[in-house]
Amino acid sequence: MFATPRHLKHQIRPAPRTISNDLWAKLLWAGLNLRAEDCPLRGHHRTRRWVNKADQKQPAPEDFEPYYPLEMIRALAIVWLFAGLRSDEIARLRAGCARMQTVIAGDEDTSSKPVCLLDIPVHKTGRAFTKPVDPLVGEAIAAWEVARPAQPTLIDPKTGEQVQFLFCYRAKRLSKTYLNHTLIPTLCGRAGIPREDARGSISSHRARSTIASQLFNAREPMTLFELQAWLGHQSPATTQHYVS
């Protein structure tokens, strides 16, 4: 009796929760200029040296260390800002997933430009696939893989395979809540913007919506079907929710 009438439902159009251009530009700047002092700290100190020996409750500031290495946090931020992935896909990326490739630009012009090919694992709507992303993604991942200590193989919860996760540290893969509860608030603080805007809180999935909308409305835009393949959707109807 109280359901929304069908003729009203047909008038409802998709409303992607994109981030406004000014806020998005500040987030990009924050991700590209992330510093060690911006990174979240561990919840405990690594030594027993105190600022004041009489006060046994306050450790020295330099006794704290980042929860994850700076190279890992930078790579994670760049992937979130440029790759257009779901949070689960980011957490389940595998070591060696990024490779740089040179593309020849134009027929007469022999100039070339690098592109990064990123291997996306099996996700909720389809099989594993590879897509091109900004070279910054490949550079950030390569820097993290150089600094990344050896990690054991862990079981992928979606496929049951034993794999080497890219974002793995201290034998544990990236926490499910790290993006929304830690990294994104850190980037917002670095950029000097609020955690919420007119469309709600800035969450991990809103970057995917923003990137998809920008690619569809660019000067040389992707077609709907190209964007569908880039996002990994099985149906173009799903992609329309990101570009309407």
Side-chain angles (χ1 to χ4, degrees), residues 210-229:
T210 302
I211 296 171
S213 179
Q214 291 178 347
L215 291 175
F216 188 76
N217 296 290
R219 182 174 299 177
E220 297 180 1
M222 283 187 176
T223 66
L224 181 64
F225 295 103
E226 289 173 340
L227 187 59
Q228 173 192 347

Side-chain angles (χ1 to χ4, degrees), residues 155-175:
I155 296 178
D156 189 323
K158 189 170 290 291
T159 64
E161 301 173 289
Q162 287 194 344
V163 300
Q164 282 277 337
F165 288 109
L166 174 65
F167 296 116
C168 182
Y169 190 64
R170 300 180 188 271
K172 294 182 179 180
R173 70 186 186 98
L174 186 71
S175 168

Side-chain angles (χ1 to χ4, degrees), residues 9 20 24 45 56 87 101 106 124 130 164 181 185 192 234 243:
K9 287 184 177 180
S20 62
W24 184 246
H45 53 280
Q56 295 294 314
S87 58
Q101 181 174 317
K124 71 175 186 177
T130 301
Q164 282 277 337
H181 293 176
Q234 287 191 337
V243 300

Side-chain angles (χ1 to χ4, degrees), residues 64-87:
F64 287 92
E65 59 183 2
Y67 191 83
Y68 290 124
L70 179 60
E71 294 85 358
M72 176 176 170
I73 299 176
R74 280 177 174 169
L76 188 60
I78 296 300
V79 169
W80 178 68
L81 289 167
F82 289 92
L85 299 179
R86 304 177 180 92
S87 58

Side-chain angles (χ1 to χ4, degrees), residues 21-221:
N21 291 336
D22 56 335
L23 296 183
W24 184 246
K26 292 180 180 180
L27 282 173
L28 291 175
W29 176 88
L32 294 172
N33 296 276
L34 199 61
R35 305 168 300 180
E37 53 266 34
D38 301 321
C39 298
L41 300 177
R42 295 185 62 84
H44 62 274
H45 53 280
R46 60 173 181 245
T47 64
R48 286 284 182 178
R49 192 169 62 81
W50 309 96
V51 174
N52 185 355
K53 292 184 178 180
D55 183 6
Q56 295 294 314
K57 295 183 179 181
Q58 185 178 1
E62 57 269 24
D63 290 335
F64 287 92
E65 59 183 2
Y67 191 83
Y68 290 124
L70 179 60
E71 294 85 358
M72 176 176 170
I73 299 176
R74 280 177 174 169
L76 188 60
I78 296 300
V79 169
W80 178 68
L81 289 167
F82 289 92
L85 299 179
R86 304 177 180 92
S87 58
D88 178 70
E89 294 169 350
I90 295 175
R92 292 174 48 247
L93 286 174
R94 301 176 181 181
C97 63
R99 57 189 183 276
M100 302 298 292
Q101 181 174 317
T102 301
V103 178
I104 303 299
D107 298 331
E108 300 179 356
D109 188 5
T110 58
S111 62
S112 59
K113 59 180 180 179
V115 64
C116 175
L117 297 180
L118 189 65
D119 297 329
I120 313 302
V122 174
H123 49 95
K124 71 175 186 177
T125 60
R127 301 175 297 177
F129 68 102
T130 301
K131 70 177 182 179
V133 293
D134 194 284
L136 289 172
V137 176
E139 295 171 2
I141 290 178
W144 163 233
E145 289 183 330
V146 170
R148 179 180 179 270
Q151 301 294 321
T153 57
L154 301 175
I155 296 178
D156 189 323
K158 189 170 290 291
T159 64
E161 301 173 289
Q162 287 194 344
V163 300
Q164 282 277 337
F165 288 109
L166 174 65
F167 296 116
C168 182
Y169 190 64
R170 300 180 188 271
K172 294 182 179 180
R173 70 186 186 98
L174 186 71
S175 168
K176 294 181 179 180
T177 61
Y178 186 79
L179 271 176
N180 285 323
H181 293 176
T182 305
L183 179 62
I184 294 176
T186 298
L187 293 177
C188 290
R190 175 72 169 130
I193 64 175
R195 280 292 318 280
E196 297 184 358
D197 60 8
R199 293 176 178 262
S201 61
I202 298 178
S203 62
S204 60
H205 203 77
R206 293 192 62 186
R208 181 174 167 89
S209 301
T210 302
I211 296 171
S213 179
Q214 291 178 347
L215 291 175
F216 188 76
N217 296 290
R219 182 174 299 177
E220 297 180 1

